[in-house]
Structure formats: C-alpha cells, structure tokens
C-alpha cells in the first residue's frame, strides 16, 4: 500500500481499497485538560503516534487504511477545568455511529476502532457492537492500554505512576518522548494527593462527582517520568497494538 492514510487518497482509490477488503482503522482521542504541565492535546498526540506506527507495521502484510484521528471525545468529566472540548455522551454515541455508517457506505466491511481516551471507551464498544448488529460487517474495538497491558507491566510502567492514569507519570513520560517541547517541566511536583478508589481493585465503576479525573484534574505526580522510559513505553504499546491489529485482521479475513 502506497499510503496508510485514508485522507491522503482520492474517492476512487478509497473505493478500490474498500472493495479489495481493506480494513478501516479509526483512532479516537480527546482534547482536554491534562493538569498544569501537559498540553490539552496529550491523548491525541499519543493516540496518533501509536496507531500510525502500528498500522504502518501491519499494513505490510494486511491492507489497512487509517482515518484521521478524531481528536475531540467524551470529556465532560474534565469540563470543570479550562482547555477541555467535549461531546456529551449521547452526542459522541451518535457521532461515532455516523462515522461508522459513513465508512460502511464507502464500502468498508472491516472497521477497527482504537481508543486513546478513557471517557470514549464504553461508547466506542457500544457503537462497534451496534454496527455489527445492523450491517453485514466485521467490527473490533480496544483502548491502547488494554492491548498493551502485559507489555507495559513488563516494562515496569507502573513504577512511574498509574497506567494509563491521567496526566501522571505514565502519560508525562510518553509526551517527553514524543513532544518534550510541549512539556511544562517547571509545573511538575514531587508529590500529589491520590484518590484512594482509583485502581482500588473494586470491580465495575465507582466515582464521585467532581473527582472523576483525580485531585486537581490529574491522578499522580509526574516526577519519576523520563524521556527514556517514555520511549520504552511507546515501543511496548506499538508492538502490542501491532500484534492485536494483526490478530484482528487475520480473524476477520478468515471469517469472510
């Protein structure tokens, strides 16, 4: 494939890819506050990088086209802080449905959502299920930290903070590796008030009004993050995501 980007092709080329059984990969992210030290585009920067690199690897063996990153997500729980742009959950459900319906109209029969923001996850899964019920297509969906969980554990990612957390040591390390020029390192503190029920091991959902993002809008201190660690985590994510995309596309192809 000469170019993995859906948006770099003409309408006729996209029709040809769809007719040939190419899968469409849809990256989902957010634009929202990430504490006093990270840019509001953090989730989108991370998501675009890991999905692009994974799709590039897998497309050597399996035909894939990656749509533009959808950089506004369901982030209402961050609206109490400045810098957040959000769709309410019902709007986001409708938007993802419309995106999927559009790709089905384009002729795609394999749709793969890859998520980079926690607030999108449940809605993404619901839409993937709904589309597979409504249309004779394959769908799949996952968040990057879910498919790379074991690899990140092996890379000792939890040594720097919660994984994925929010604007803590983990995401800060990733941004150090991707766009260190956007980091406000003078705003990083050596300690942070933790929210006790985050990662508490209690099954299901538990949350409190005004505290869904962690104290002061982020989950943990970023003082242990380094660029070197960030590069290791990105490599673990890209490798795991590549493996997952390969497994998914192979399963879809075998089931045709």
């Amino acid at each position: 494939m000469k170019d993995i980007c859906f948006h770099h092709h003409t309408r006729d080329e996209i029709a040809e890819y769809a007719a040939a059984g190419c899968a469409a990969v849809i990256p989902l992210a957010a634009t929202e506050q990430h504490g006093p030290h990270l840019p509001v585009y953090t989730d989108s920067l991370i998501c675009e990088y890991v999905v692009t690199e994974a799709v590039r690897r897998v497309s050597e063996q399996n035909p894939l086209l990656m749509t533009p990153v959808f950089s506004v997500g369901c982030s209402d729980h961050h609206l109490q802080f400045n810098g957040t742009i959000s769709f309410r959950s019902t709007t986001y459900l409708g938007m993802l449905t419309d995106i999927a319906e559009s790709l089905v109209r384009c002729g795609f029969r394999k749709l793969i959502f890859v998520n980079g923001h926690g607030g999108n996850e449940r809605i993404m899964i619901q839409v993937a299920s709904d589309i597979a019920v409504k249309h004779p297509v394959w769908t799949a969906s996952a968040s990057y930290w879910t498919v790379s969980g074991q690899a990140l554990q092996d890379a000792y990612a939890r040594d720097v903070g919660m994984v994925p957390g929010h604007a803590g040591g983990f995401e800060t390390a990733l941004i150090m590796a991707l766009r260190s020029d956007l980091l406000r390192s003078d705003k990083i503190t050596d300690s942070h008030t933790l929210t006790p029920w985050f990662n508490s091991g209690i099954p299901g959902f538990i949350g409190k009004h005004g505290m869904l993002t962690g104290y002061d809008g982020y989950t943990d201190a970023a003082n242990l993050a380094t660029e070197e660690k960030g590069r290791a985590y990105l490599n673990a994510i890209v490798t795991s995501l590549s493996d997952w995309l390969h497994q998914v596309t192979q399963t879809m192809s075998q089931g045709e």
Side-chain angles (χ1 to χ4, degrees), residues 122 197-198 200 202-208 212:
R122 293 177 180 87
W197 59 86
F198 277 24
S200 63
I202 301 174
F205 172 80
I206 182 170
K208 180 183 179 182
L212 294 173

Side-chain angles (χ1 to χ4, degrees), residues 60-252:
E60 295 176 1
Q61 297 141 344
N62 302 287
L64 298 172
L65 279 183
M66 185 184 83
T67 70
V69 176
F70 292 95
S71 58
V72 176
C74 184
S75 302
D76 279 11
H77 49 302
H78 291 281
L79 285 172
Q80 69 191 95
F81 301 98
N82 210 337
T84 298
I85 303 173
S86 177
F87 292 114
R88 70 187 67 181
S89 57
T90 50
T91 302
Y92 195 62
L93 179 73
M95 189 196 76
L96 291 190
T97 300
D98 288 348
I99 290 168
E101 294 275 5
S102 297
L103 290 167
V104 171
R105 287 288 296 271
C106 286
F108 289 95
R109 294 295 177 262
K110 302 168 186 173
L111 308 182
I112 304 171
F113 294 93
V114 181
N115 178 49
H117 165 58
N120 300 338
E121 189 169 44
R122 293 177 180 87
I123 300 171
M124 170 190 69
I125 294 169
Q126 186 62 59
V127 170
S129 176
D130 290 348
I131 292 298
V133 168
K134 184 177 180 181
H135 297 286
V137 300
W138 280 93
T139 65
S141 65
S143 296
Y144 77 75
W145 56 84
T146 302
V147 300
S148 61
Q150 184 59 55
L152 288 171
Q153 182 175 325
D154 293 343
Y156 303 103
R158 291 191 183 276
D159 287 356
V160 302
M162 293 184 188
V163 178
H166 182 74
F170 175 70
E171 287 190 324
T172 299
L174 299 184
I175 293 301
M176 284 177 168
L178 289 173
R179 289 293 306 271
S180 60
D181 58 307
L182 298 179
L183 177 69
R184 310 306 194 263
S185 57
D186 60 313
K187 301 292 185 180
I188 294 176
T189 60
D190 292 337
S191 62
H192 185 67
T193 301
L194 299 179
T195 306
W197 59 86
F198 277 24
N199 291 349
S200 63
I202 301 174
F205 172 80
I206 182 170
K208 180 183 179 182
H209 175 75
M211 291 293 290
L212 294 173
T213 63
Y215 181 78
D216 194 30
Y218 60 110
T219 55
D220 54 278
N223 59 306
L224 298 179
T226 67
E227 182 179 339
E228 182 181 6
K229 291 175 180 177
R231 286 196 298 268
Y233 305 157
L234 286 171
N235 182 64
I237 295 166
V238 171
T239 299
S240 298
L241 189 54
S242 299
D243 291 343
W244 181 79
L245 284 172
H246 178 72
Q247 291 170 0
V248 166
T249 52
Q250 287 294 104
T251 298
M252 290 177 172

